[in-house]
Amino acid sequence: MTYATDRLQEEIAYVAYHFHWSLEEILDLEHHDRRRYTEAIASLVTRAGAEG
């Protein structure tokens, strides 16, 4: 099974934007680890927005 290219690009951009990691560092992550990071970032962003 392949992972959708658009979704992968979104995850890369999201992690790179928030953590300032390189493309190589992000692509070195296993899929489940990359997903965990995107979920953690989303949680932090949501919490920061709520705290205003």
Side-chain angles (χ1 to χ4, degrees), residues 15-46:
V15 174
Y17 177 81
H18 288 282
F19 285 175
H20 308 284
W21 290 355
S22 70
L23 176 61
E24 183 177 305
E25 290 172 310
I26 298 167
L27 289 176
D28 281 346
L29 295 170
E30 294 291 330
H31 171 71
H32 64 276
D33 291 332
R34 194 175 52 253
R35 288 293 304 144
R36 267 190 273 173
Y37 279 114
T38 59
E39 291 167 6
I41 292 167
S43 176
L44 292 169
V45 168
T46 301

